[in-house]
């Protein structure tokens, strides 16, 4: 199968997986939000940082190294598998012993049981890391999609049933474990690959040499991204952390859906064309503008309609999360640009620069946190917006040099999209205000439809390249000069 055909197939199955998982997970989250209390979601949020760090320690960035390695063999895959499995057991033991201290820090004794049980997912997931990496390496997402959708559905049904029966926060724990277990079993049945019990020290040093920097970068990112959760969980009631997590998860819905589909496919694609800087820049530029064209108006309109959206989906008890959500939407717009710029460094093999940027950004985040903490939770979230804007220029520094596509050039390309998104948000607000006495469903449909329509009309009037690109994409009329073969024939 050619690179074009592989990417096309990967895009299709990745889209099915992402949209399917988002649809199922979103439906499950709506039901659970009605059955459980915000404080119970806050308890799960408190251990999120430890789960994230544990996952980063286990993988150690070796999966990314396997993807960028040309023709890895059985010894490469088995070495990484053995390391992941042994590492998962060690990490679980450490977190098991640390559970009482975690509970003491947050002053929530129930976190001992939650942490020890939930962290079993480390060992379960260690069995699938290499299988998933092999699928990504070959842009074969069909088996992963099947396993992911079924595991999400099964675990979601279990979580709802347990919540209905009164298991409270433990319904979320068992749901997470069930999803990991079902996904693991299905991937082992379908993948067709089995590890050999061997550990090649030379290959390990090769992969760890690249992956260790990715690991430390990942740990830094998880640690500082979850700094907000630590601070809110430590100094505020669990319910406030529940509101924060609910706002963040809803904001991430469009971001992770649209950028996630492309990110999963484009990383191995970038790796294939990493030595052709002209082509790499052209591919990156088109993807960046296409994603912002979609994400910017969606986040702006969702933010404007935050109150009726939360009341309609999650009931009145979740309305305190609305101000958090509206601010987070502004910070989320630039997220895809952060990820894509760092992907360039990764495929270029410059994990040293990747780590250097992460250290710089985390030092910056410490300053932002210190400055915004005195202003309460809203101040902390506004700090996220400021940090996201500054981080954009940091992330684009080295990738801009590699591609000859500077931060200012990238910003210049997306500024028209951001301005039109802001105008569409203003139109949405006017419609929603006019219909303020109507049912929330009416406000959401009328405001959302009119806002998107207004954005598309403006894009057409001002002849934005991204709008025409997507229109041609849907009509399958892209010119042959566009060097994006995996998109051209969608």
């Amino acid at each position: 199968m050619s690179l074009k055909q592989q990417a096309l197939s990967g895009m299709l199955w990745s889209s099915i997986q992402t949209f399917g998982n988002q649809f199922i997970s979103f439906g499950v989250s709506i039901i659970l939000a009605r059955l459980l209390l915000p404080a119970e979601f806050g308890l799960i949020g408190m251990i999120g940082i430890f789960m994230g760090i544990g996952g980063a320690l286990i993988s150690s960035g070796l999966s990314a190294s396997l993807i960028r390695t040309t023709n890895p063999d059985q010894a490469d895959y088995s070495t990484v598998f053995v390391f992941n499995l042994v590492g998962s057991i060690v990490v679980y033991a450490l977190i098991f012993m640390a559970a009482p201290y975690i509970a003491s820090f947050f002053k929530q004794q129930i976190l001992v049981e939650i942490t020890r049980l939930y962290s079993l997912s480390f060992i379960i997931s260690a069995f699938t890391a290499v299988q998933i990496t092999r699928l990504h390496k070959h842009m074969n997402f069909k088996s992963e999609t099947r396993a992911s959708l079924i595991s999400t559905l099964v675990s979601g049904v279990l979580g709802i049933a347990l919540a209905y029966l009164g298991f409270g926060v433990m319904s979320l724990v068992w749901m997470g474990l069930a999803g990991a277990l079902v996904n693991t079993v299905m991937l082992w049945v379908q993948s067709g690959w089995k590890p050999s019990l061997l550990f090649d020290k030379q290959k390990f040093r090769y992969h760890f040499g690249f992956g260790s920097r990715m690991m430390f970068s990942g740990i830094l990112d998880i640690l500082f991204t979850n700094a907000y959760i630590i601070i809110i969980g430590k100094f505020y009631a669990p319910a406030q952390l529940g509101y924060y997590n609910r706002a963040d998860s809803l904001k991430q819905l469009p971001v992770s859906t649209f950028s996630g589909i492309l990110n999963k496919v484009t990383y191995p694609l970038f790796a294939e064309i990493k030595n052709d800087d002209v082509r790499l820049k052209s591919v990156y530029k088109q993807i960046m503008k296409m994603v912002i064209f979609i994400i910017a108006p969606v986040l702006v309109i969702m933010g404007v309609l935050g109150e009726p959206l939360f009341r309609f989906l999650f009931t009145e008890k979740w309305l305190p999360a609305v101000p958090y959500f509206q601010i987070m939407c502004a910070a989320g717009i630039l997220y895809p640009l952060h990820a894509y710029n760092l992907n360039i460094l990764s495929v270029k093999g410059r994990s040293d620069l990747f780590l250097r940027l992460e250290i710089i950004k985390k030092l910056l985040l410490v300053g932002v946190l210190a400055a915004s903490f005195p202003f309460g939770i809203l101040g902390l979230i506004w700090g996220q917006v400021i940090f996201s804007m500054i981080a954009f220029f940091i992330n684009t520094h080295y990738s801009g040099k590699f591609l000859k596509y500077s931060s200012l050039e990238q910003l210049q390309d997306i500024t028209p999209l951001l301005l039109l998104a802001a105008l569409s948000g203003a139109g949405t607000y006017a419609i929603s205000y006019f219909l303020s006495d109507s049912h929330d469903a009416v406000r959401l449909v009328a405001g959302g439809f009119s806002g998107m329509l207004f954005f598309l009309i403006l894009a057409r009037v001002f002849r934005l390249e991204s709008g025409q690109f997507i229109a041609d994409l849907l009509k399958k009329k892209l010119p042959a000069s566009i060097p994006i073969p995996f998109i051209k024939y969608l």
Side-chain angles (χ1 to χ4, degrees), residues 338-393:
H338 300 323
Y340 292 142
N341 274 283
L342 293 177
N343 270 348
I344 298 298
L345 298 183
S346 183
V347 299
K348 287 289 187 179
R350 298 305 304 269
S351 56
D352 57 328
L353 298 180
F354 194 115
L355 178 58
R356 182 184 302 176
L357 292 184
E358 288 303 307
I359 293 174
I360 293 172
K361 286 188 296 182
K362 294 342 173 195
L363 292 174
L364 170 65
L365 183 57
V366 170
V368 172
L369 283 170
S372 58
F373 177 75
F375 299 97
I377 296 180
L378 288 178
L380 289 169
I381 300 176
W382 273 115
Q384 288 186 17
V385 179
I386 297 172
F387 174 76
S388 180
M389 295 172 64
I390 300 175
F392 166 76
F393 291 96

Side-chain angles (χ1 to χ4, degrees), residues 306-318:
E307 182 180 339
L309 181 62
F310 269 75
R311 187 165 46 232
F312 179 75
L313 293 177
F314 309 121
T315 72
E316 296 271 352
K317 67 183 178 182
W318 287 96

Side-chain angles (χ1 to χ4, degrees), residues 222-353:
I222 292 167
L223 181 62
F224 284 89
T225 299
N226 285 274
Y228 293 92
I229 292 177
I230 294 176
I231 293 173
I232 296 173
K234 175 66 176 177
F235 295 101
Y236 298 90
Q240 293 299 318
L241 183 55
Y243 296 137
Y244 175 89
N245 281 342
R246 175 60 55 194
D248 185 58
S249 62
L250 186 58
K251 176 265 295 182
Q252 279 295 111
L253 182 64
V255 173
S256 59
T257 298
F258 294 111
S259 64
I261 291 172
L262 289 173
N263 199 39
K264 185 184 294 185
V265 177
T266 54
Y267 181 74
L269 179 67
F270 285 169
E272 290 287 339
I273 59 176
K274 61 186 177 184
N275 296 320
D276 187 345
D277 288 343
V278 174
R279 190 181 181 199
L280 186 59
K281 174 184 176 180
S282 182
V283 170
Y284 168 81
K285 184 176 181 179
Q286 291 290 353
I287 291 174
M288 177 194 71
K289 291 197 293 186
M290 183 172 67
V291 172
I292 294 297
F293 184 91
I294 297 172
I295 287 180
V298 170
L299 283 179
V300 169
I301 292 171
M302 286 178 65
V304 171
L305 298 174
E307 182 180 339
L309 181 62
F310 269 75
R311 187 165 46 232
F312 179 75
L313 293 177
F314 309 121
T315 72
E316 296 271 352
K317 67 183 178 182
W318 287 96
L319 284 182
V322 172
Y324 305 165
F325 171 71
Q326 291 174 325
I327 302 171
M328 287 178 180
C329 284
I333 292 175
L334 293 179
Y335 172 81
L337 305 193
H338 300 323
Y340 292 142
N341 274 283
L342 293 177
N343 270 348
I344 298 298
L345 298 183
S346 183
V347 299
K348 287 289 187 179
R350 298 305 304 269
S351 56
D352 57 328
L353 298 180

Side-chain angles (χ1 to χ4, degrees), residues 62 79-80 83 199-209:
L62 303 190
T79 297
V80 173
F83 176 80
F199 187 85
D200 189 312
K201 293 182 180 179
Q202 183 176 355
K203 290 184 179 294
F204 173 73
R205 285 194 293 268
Y206 169 77
H207 292 298
F208 193 75

Side-chain angles (χ1 to χ4, degrees), residues 62-80 130 133-138 193 203 206-207 271-272 274:
L62 303 190
S63 296
S65 181
L66 285 173
I67 290 178
R68 67 179 298 275
T69 299
T70 303
N71 299 322
D73 57 20
Q74 179 72 1
D76 289 284
Y77 289 120
S78 295
T79 297
V80 173
V130 173
T133 298
R134 283 174 55 84
L135 295 174
H136 289 186
K137 175 73 175 177
H138 301 289
W193 178 82
K203 290 184 179 294
Y206 169 77
H207 292 298
E272 290 287 339
K274 61 186 177 184

